Amino acid sequence: MALPLKYNFRNVIVRWRSTLATVLGIALVVAVFVLLRALARGIEASSANTGDARNILVVRKGSQAESGSIVTREHFRTIQYLDEIARNERGEPIISAELVLIVSAPRRNGTGEANTLIRGVTPRGMELRPQVKLVDGRWFVPGKREVVVARRLAARFAGFEIGGVIKSGQDRLAVVGHFDAAGSAFDSESWMDADEARSIFDRENYSSILLRPADATAATNLITRLERDKRLALRAEREVDYYSKQTMTAVPIKILAGLLGTAMSIGAVFAAMNTMYASVASRTREVGTLRVLGYSRRAIVLCFLIEGALLAAMGGVVGCLLALPLNGYATGTMDFQSFAETVFQFRVTPDLMLMGLAFSVIIGVAGSLLPALRAARLPVIVALKSI
Amino acid sequence: MTVPNIVTIRDLTKTYQQGEINVTALNNISLDIEAGEYLTLMGPSGSGKSTLLHIIAGVDRPTSGECRVQGIDVTRLNESDLADWRNQNVGFVFQSFNLIPVLTAFENVELPLLLTRLSRKQRREQVNTALELVGLLDRRHHLPKQLSGGQEQRVAIARAIVTDPALIVADEPTGNLDSASTQEALGILQSLTRTAGKTVIMVTHDPKAAAFGSRSIHLEKGELVNE
């Protein structure tokens, strides 16, 4: 039978100075671990939230992102009359040819300029994205040089407030409203009228086409048809699939999280080991006494492993609490697909915190293993004679 | 009527290496201890009395020879069996009390019982009985640091008897006590042999402490001198 948990708990409390140092050390490691993953999770979530399973996005074959794609007006004319496309109550095909552009804008915090995405949309394009809702001001008027900016993006760029002006070369776009895109990738965009965008930015063609097929069979048929048509050289895929591939932006952050996590956890293991070695050294006679009373070597090993895990779990809890206030905090990074600023929120989810806790316990157990074995291997008589 | 031996020692030798010197701690010792005896082991420092006590209690192992306690040769038990055997058959009293500082008197006394199959209620009853026997039931929720030296040693005695072992070994149990506490502790050990039939083996330097015993043996340079 193992020693009672209160024995470990009280020992951890009694040695509060070394406990505090170790707990704080492990807490920092766990906080960084959780936050880096919360960052990656936020980027993934913003892409994952974006698509509608019923929509199909058409881009040029070989292009990685909409901003690097060209769909000609001829392509659009060909596609919009295809039978597979659903029609609204007015009998119009639900299809939107859109233009995606990159405009450089000054950051609000004065750290220079960054690229942001401007999307030229049509009324159909807005119908296809019901998650995008106006929260302040009004929508742009087609034919006018007006733009509606994502609220989260507005918080990060100067001139993106209502009444502000977005400059691009000689052109000026008046900000007339803010929208909220429910944490999706559109939260990193500014929207304006598609034809006006083509006119201002002097573009002959579009970047992409978003459409709604009549049903699932029509969707499959349409994808096959567009893929097979060699003249078009277009790629059609479900909108959700397109955006799930955009989560590539999270990959470098995940790699960084892995590298930093590994390096810091090695340090934390040594910190835990140091504390546990000190703990074992100061309790050698206690270990001898427990052995005399009949506790086996295994019970002693288990006792110190539990104590190390307990110590580290305390650090894990503190680390999660340190990370928690950043939950929902919006920040931005460069999207490696579009090379424009992408806005997302830290997502410190319960499962991430559980991962953080498990991570801390692993650190604790790894750090306690050698001290625990040392304690258990001591001959009883040697342990008893220790001062 | 002859009283059965609880401990039978034959040709017991213990040598160990100290640097490059081979030290003989016990040299071919043979000894019988009857059940219910209060035996005191005396002798100068380094005479081997503590080594002998540790071997009888299954804490140390001899180099050669036999040590039977209640018919079991403890020198032949493996580490795990020896730990179980100690838990069930031997009670220990140390010079420095060796109480666990973070546990209360009750929890310290309960420690050996956590290795048994007794229920929580049975354990509580046995711990209370042991603490009552040493007169410290009212201090059961105190931590060792809240007790005097004499009280700590009485808690240690309660821990030694709580599993109801046949054999109680005490290594200089009064070495850290004042004279009043010494009398108290020795009195309790004496009453254990007289009223409960326990066998007590005690190592001591102090002739006054040895006077509490029913028999005293002396060791010098690892050998018995005047049994």
mmCIF file with all atom_site columns, all heavy atoms in Angstrom, chain A residues 154-166:
data_model
loop_
_atom_site.group_PDB
_atom_site.id
_atom_site.type_symbol
_atom_site.label_atom_id
_atom_site.label_alt_id
_atom_site.label_comp_id
_atom_site.label_asym_id
_atom_site.label_entity_id
_atom_site.label_seq_id
_atom_site.pdbx_PDB_ins_code
_atom_site.Cartn_x
_atom_site.Cartn_y
_atom_site.Cartn_z
_atom_site.occupancy
_atom_site.B_iso_or_equiv
_atom_site.pdbx_formal_charge
_atom_site.auth_seq_id
_atom_site.auth_comp_id
_atom_site.auth_asym_id
_atom_site.auth_atom_id
_atom_site.pdbx_PDB_model_num
ATOM 1  N N   . ALA A 1 154 ? -9.900  46.449 -37.627 1.00 0.00 ? 154 ALA A N   1
ATOM 2  C CA  . ALA A 1 154 ? -9.935  47.888 -37.358 1.00 0.00 ? 154 ALA A CA  1
ATOM 3  C C   . ALA A 1 154 ? -9.181  48.219 -36.074 1.00 0.00 ? 154 ALA A C   1
ATOM 4  O O   . ALA A 1 154 ? -8.592  49.292 -35.946 1.00 0.00 ? 154 ALA A O   1
ATOM 5  C CB  . ALA A 1 154 ? -11.375 48.367 -37.268 1.00 0.00 ? 154 ALA A CB  1
ATOM 6  N N   . ALA A 1 155 ? -9.205  47.284 -35.146 1.00 0.00 ? 155 ALA A N   1
ATOM 7  C CA  . ALA A 1 155 ? -8.522  47.525 -33.872 1.00 0.00 ? 155 ALA A CA  1
ATOM 8  C C   . ALA A 1 155 ? -7.003  47.535 -34.058 1.00 0.00 ? 155 ALA A C   1
ATOM 9  O O   . ALA A 1 155 ? -6.268  48.029 -33.205 1.00 0.00 ? 155 ALA A O   1
ATOM 10 C CB  . ALA A 1 155 ? -8.917  46.448 -32.876 1.00 0.00 ? 155 ALA A CB  1
ATOM 11 N N   . ARG A 1 156 ? -6.515  47.009 -35.161 1.00 0.00 ? 156 ARG A N   1
ATOM 12 C CA  . ARG A 1 156 ? -5.072  46.847 -35.349 1.00 0.00 ? 156 ARG A CA  1
ATOM 13 C C   . ARG A 1 156 ? -4.463  47.842 -36.347 1.00 0.00 ? 156 ARG A C   1
ATOM 14 O O   . ARG A 1 156 ? -3.249  47.962 -36.398 1.00 0.00 ? 156 ARG A O   1
ATOM 15 C CB  . ARG A 1 156 ? -4.760  45.419 -35.804 1.00 0.00 ? 156 ARG A CB  1
ATOM 16 C CG  . ARG A 1 156 ? -5.210  44.364 -34.811 1.00 0.00 ? 156 ARG A CG  1
ATOM 17 C CD  . ARG A 1 156 ? -4.884  42.968 -35.285 1.00 0.00 ? 156 ARG A CD  1
ATOM 18 N NE  . ARG A 1 156 ? -3.453  42.798 -35.490 1.00 0.00 ? 156 ARG A NE  1
ATOM 19 C CZ  . ARG A 1 156 ? -2.579  42.598 -34.524 1.00 0.00 ? 156 ARG A CZ  1
ATOM 20 N NH1 . ARG A 1 156 ? -2.977  42.581 -33.277 1.00 0.00 ? 156 ARG A NH1 1
ATOM 21 N NH2 . ARG A 1 156 ? -1.298  42.440 -34.799 1.00 0.00 ? 156 ARG A NH2 1
ATOM 22 N N   . PHE A 1 157 ? -5.308  48.511 -37.149 1.00 0.00 ? 157 PHE A N   1
ATOM 23 C CA  . PHE A 1 157 ? -4.752  49.404 -38.187 1.00 0.00 ? 157 PHE A CA  1
ATOM 24 C C   . PHE A 1 157 ? -5.268  50.831 -38.049 1.00 0.00 ? 157 PHE A C   1
ATOM 25 O O   . PHE A 1 157 ? -6.459  51.039 -37.772 1.00 0.00 ? 157 PHE A O   1
ATOM 26 C CB  . PHE A 1 157 ? -5.080  48.858 -39.575 1.00 0.00 ? 157 PHE A CB  1
ATOM 27 C CG  . PHE A 1 157 ? -4.246  47.660 -39.936 1.00 0.00 ? 157 PHE A CG  1
ATOM 28 C CD1 . PHE A 1 157 ? -4.703  46.380 -39.692 1.00 0.00 ? 157 PHE A CD1 1
ATOM 29 C CD2 . PHE A 1 157 ? -2.978  47.813 -40.492 1.00 0.00 ? 157 PHE A CD2 1
ATOM 30 C CE1 . PHE A 1 157 ? -3.927  45.271 -39.997 1.00 0.00 ? 157 PHE A CE1 1
ATOM 31 C CE2 . PHE A 1 157 ? -2.202  46.711 -40.807 1.00 0.00 ? 157 PHE A CE2 1
ATOM 32 C CZ  . PHE A 1 157 ? -2.667  45.441 -40.549 1.00 0.00 ? 157 PHE A CZ  1
ATOM 33 N N   . ALA A 1 158 ? -4.373  51.779 -38.254 1.00 0.00 ? 158 ALA A N   1
ATOM 34 C CA  . ALA A 1 158 ? -4.742  53.191 -38.173 1.00 0.00 ? 158 ALA A CA  1
ATOM 35 C C   . ALA A 1 158 ? -5.576  53.560 -39.397 1.00 0.00 ? 158 ALA A C   1
ATOM 36 O O   . ALA A 1 158 ? -5.297  53.102 -40.510 1.00 0.00 ? 158 ALA A O   1
ATOM 37 C CB  . ALA A 1 158 ? -3.483  54.044 -38.107 1.00 0.00 ? 158 ALA A CB  1
ATOM 38 N N   . GLY A 1 159 ? -6.620  54.361 -39.204 1.00 0.00 ? 159 GLY A N   1
ATOM 39 C CA  . GLY A 1 159 ? -7.467  54.815 -40.310 1.00 0.00 ? 159 GLY A CA  1
ATOM 40 C C   . GLY A 1 159 ? -8.581  53.849 -40.633 1.00 0.00 ? 159 GLY A C   1
ATOM 41 O O   . GLY A 1 159 ? -9.369  54.088 -41.537 1.00 0.00 ? 159 GLY A O   1
ATOM 42 N N   . PHE A 1 160 ? -8.662  52.725 -39.891 1.00 0.00 ? 160 PHE A N   1
ATOM 43 C CA  . PHE A 1 160 ? -9.699  51.733 -40.183 1.00 0.00 ? 160 PHE A CA  1
ATOM 44 C C   . PHE A 1 160 ? -10.972 51.990 -39.374 1.00 0.00 ? 160 PHE A C   1
ATOM 45 O O   . PHE A 1 160 ? -11.928 51.235 -39.449 1.00 0.00 ? 160 PHE A O   1
ATOM 46 C CB  . PHE A 1 160 ? -9.177  50.306 -39.922 1.00 0.00 ? 160 PHE A CB  1
ATOM 47 C CG  . PHE A 1 160 ? -8.352  49.753 -41.064 1.00 0.00 ? 160 PHE A CG  1
ATOM 48 C CD1 . PHE A 1 160 ? -7.532  50.573 -41.817 1.00 0.00 ? 160 PHE A CD1 1
ATOM 49 C CD2 . PHE A 1 160 ? -8.417  48.396 -41.398 1.00 0.00 ? 160 PHE A CD2 1
ATOM 50 C CE1 . PHE A 1 160 ? -6.777  50.065 -42.875 1.00 0.00 ? 160 PHE A CE1 1
ATOM 51 C CE2 . PHE A 1 160 ? -7.672  47.879 -42.446 1.00 0.00 ? 160 PHE A CE2 1
ATOM 52 C CZ  . PHE A 1 160 ? -6.846  48.717 -43.185 1.00 0.00 ? 160 PHE A CZ  1
ATOM 53 N N   . GLU A 1 161 ? -10.982 53.059 -38.584 1.00 0.00 ? 161 GLU A N   1
ATOM 54 C CA  . GLU A 1 161 ? -12.182 53.387 -37.813 1.00 0.00 ? 161 GLU A CA  1
ATOM 55 C C   . GLU A 1 161 ? -13.214 53.998 -38.772 1.00 0.00 ? 161 GLU A C   1
ATOM 56 O O   . GLU A 1 161 ? -12.857 54.468 -39.859 1.00 0.00 ? 161 GLU A O   1
ATOM 57 C CB  . GLU A 1 161 ? -11.838 54.353 -36.669 1.00 0.00 ? 161 GLU A CB  1
ATOM 58 C CG  . GLU A 1 161 ? -11.293 55.704 -37.070 1.00 0.00 ? 161 GLU A CG  1
ATOM 59 C CD  . GLU A 1 161 ? -9.792  55.669 -37.426 1.00 0.00 ? 161 GLU A CD  1
ATOM 60 O OE1 . GLU A 1 161 ? -9.167  54.610 -37.307 1.00 0.00 ? 161 GLU A OE1 1
ATOM 61 O OE2 . GLU A 1 161 ? -9.287  56.722 -37.863 1.00 0.00 ? 161 GLU A OE2 1
ATOM 62 N N   . ILE A 1 162 ? -14.475 54.009 -38.349 1.00 0.00 ? 162 ILE A N   1
ATOM 63 C CA  . ILE A 1 162 ? -15.526 54.577 -39.220 1.00 0.00 ? 162 ILE A CA  1
ATOM 64 C C   . ILE A 1 162 ? -15.226 56.064 -39.400 1.00 0.00 ? 162 ILE A C   1
ATOM 65 O O   . ILE A 1 162 ? -14.942 56.769 -38.428 1.00 0.00 ? 162 ILE A O   1
ATOM 66 C CB  . ILE A 1 162 ? -16.920 54.335 -38.612 1.00 0.00 ? 162 ILE A CB  1
ATOM 67 C CG1 . ILE A 1 162 ? -17.221 52.828 -38.633 1.00 0.00 ? 162 ILE A CG1 1
ATOM 68 C CG2 . ILE A 1 162 ? -17.998 55.101 -39.393 1.00 0.00 ? 162 ILE A CG2 1
ATOM 69 C CD1 . ILE A 1 162 ? -18.491 52.430 -37.953 1.00 0.00 ? 162 ILE A CD1 1
ATOM 70 N N   . GLY A 1 163 ? -15.260 56.486 -40.648 1.00 0.00 ? 163 GLY A N   1
ATOM 71 C CA  . GLY A 1 163 ? -14.884 57.872 -40.947 1.00 0.00 ? 163 GLY A CA  1
ATOM 72 C C   . GLY A 1 163 ? -13.429 57.980 -41.371 1.00 0.00 ? 163 GLY A C   1
ATOM 73 O O   . GLY A 1 163 ? -12.987 59.017 -41.865 1.00 0.00 ? 163 GLY A O   1
ATOM 74 N N   . GLY A 1 164 ? -12.692 56.897 -41.175 1.00 0.00 ? 164 GLY A N   1
ATOM 75 C CA  . GLY A 1 164 ? -11.276 56.868 -41.547 1.00 0.00 ? 164 GLY A CA  1
ATOM 76 C C   . GLY A 1 164 ? -11.115 56.626 -43.045 1.00 0.00 ? 164 GLY A C   1
ATOM 77 O O   . GLY A 1 164 ? -12.098 56.412 -43.775 1.00 0.00 ? 164 GLY A O   1
ATOM 78 N N   . VAL A 1 165 ? -9.859  56.644 -43.487 1.00 0.00 ? 165 VAL A N   1
ATOM 79 C CA  . VAL A 1 165 ? -9.592  56.483 -44.915 1.00 0.00 ? 165 VAL A CA  1
ATOM 80 C C   . VAL A 1 165 ? -8.479  55.452 -45.103 1.00 0.00 ? 165 VAL A C   1
ATOM 81 O O   . VAL A 1 165 ? -7.463  55.490 -44.407 1.00 0.00 ? 165 VAL A O   1
ATOM 82 C CB  . VAL A 1 165 ? -9.152  57.840 -45.537 1.00 0.00 ? 165 VAL A CB  1
ATOM 83 C CG1 . VAL A 1 165 ? -8.657  57.640 -46.964 1.00 0.00 ? 165 VAL A CG1 1
ATOM 84 C CG2 . VAL A 1 165 ? -10.309 58.824 -45.512 1.00 0.00 ? 165 VAL A CG2 1
ATOM 85 N N   . ILE A 1 166 ? -8.711  54.504 -46.018 1.00 0.00 ? 166 ILE A N   1
ATOM 86 C CA  . ILE A 1 166 ? -7.659  53.553 -46.384 1.00 0.00 ? 166 ILE A CA  1
ATOM 87 C C   . ILE A 1 166 ? -7.041  54.054 -47.685 1.00 0.00 ? 166 ILE A C   1
ATOM 88 O O   . ILE A 1 166 ? -7.748  54.291 -48.655 1.00 0.00 ? 166 ILE A O   1
ATOM 89 C CB  . ILE A 1 166 ? -8.236  52.128 -46.563 1.00 0.00 ? 166 ILE A CB  1
ATOM 90 C CG1 . ILE A 1 166 ? -8.869  51.646 -45.257 1.00 0.00 ? 166 ILE A CG1 1
ATOM 91 C CG2 . ILE A 1 166 ? -7.150  51.167 -47.029 1.00 0.00 ? 166 ILE A CG2 1
ATOM 92 C CD1 . ILE A 1 166 ? -9.559  50.289 -45.366 1.00 0.00 ? 166 ILE A CD1 1
#
